[in-house]
Every structure is written in C-alpha cells, then in structure tokens.
Amino acid sequence: IRDEESGYNKNLFCIPKHYEEDLDRVFIPHGLILDRTERLARDIMQDMGSHHIVALCVLKGGYKFFADLLDHIKALNQNGDKSVPITVDFVRIKSYC
C-alpha cells in the first residue's frame, strides 16, 4: 500500500455504530488482511519444510492475528501433503521500549 493511498469510502463497508463517527476511510479492508494472512501461512509452511514450528504470540495486541495465522497453518497441515509439528506459546510484554 502506497503512502499516498487514500483508502476506501467507509460507506462501502459495514462499520459498527460505535466507530462510525471516528472513521473517515478504510485503508486496508478485512478481506485483504485475511488473504495476506493466508498467504503468509503458506509461505511459512513452504519455508519451514518439515521442521518443527514454534509459534510465539505477543499478548495482548497480537492474539487475533496470531489465531488467524495458526488457523491457516493448521488447515494447511490437515489438507496438505505434509504435516509439520507446531508448538504454541504466549508472552506478555509490559512495554515495547
């Protein structure tokens, strides 16, 4: 996405009422995020080969992306021609500084 991208008109999307006054435009549609997350899962599976995957989620902000990414990886594990072991863990950080 280019810096000069103006985004999409918010009227093209279903925006929860409590966000309507706070938003002017939608820059990255949810479907695009889901598609890129699925592609990232495919890339991870391809790059890891048959190596064990250790997935570490930084709480609290990353849990939804993490869950979506793991769902895609698990689907590829179940429906693909190979299965890779996955270990999941979580870490909580008080400050990013």
Side-chain angles (χ1 to χ4, degrees):
I1 298 174
R2 295 185 180 96
D3 288 340
E4 57 275 356
E5 180 67 43
S6 63
Y8 300 90
N9 187 315
K10 71 177 183 180
N11 294 328
L12 298 172
F13 301 91
C14 295
I15 306 293
K17 290 277 185 207
H18 57 279
Y19 290 131
E20 282 181 347
E21 297 300 318
D22 297 324
L23 293 176
D24 287 331
R25 304 191 68 69
V26 173
F27 288 102
I28 306 173
H30 186 246
L32 180 59
I33 293 170
L34 290 177
D35 183 69
R36 295 298 297 143
T37 304
E38 182 178 0
R39 182 61 208 200
L40 179 59
R42 289 179 185 208
D43 290 347
I44 289 170
M45 290 293 288
Q46 182 178 6
D47 291 347
M48 291 303 294
S50 60
H51 291 88
H52 185 118
I53 296 174
V54 177
L56 182 65
C57 178
V58 178
L59 297 173
K60 297 183 179 183
Y63 83 94
K64 179 63 174 146
F65 167 75
F66 183 77
D68 289 345
L69 180 63
L70 282 184
D71 285 344
H72 289 299
I73 290 174
K74 287 178 185 176
L76 291 169
N77 249 347
Q78 291 173 351
N79 302 323
D81 56 344
K82 62 182 177 180
S83 182
V84 177
I86 302 172
T87 301
V88 177
D89 210 344
F90 300 88
V91 63
R92 185 172 178 194
I93 300 175
K94 284 187 175 187
S95 174
Y96 292 105
C97 297

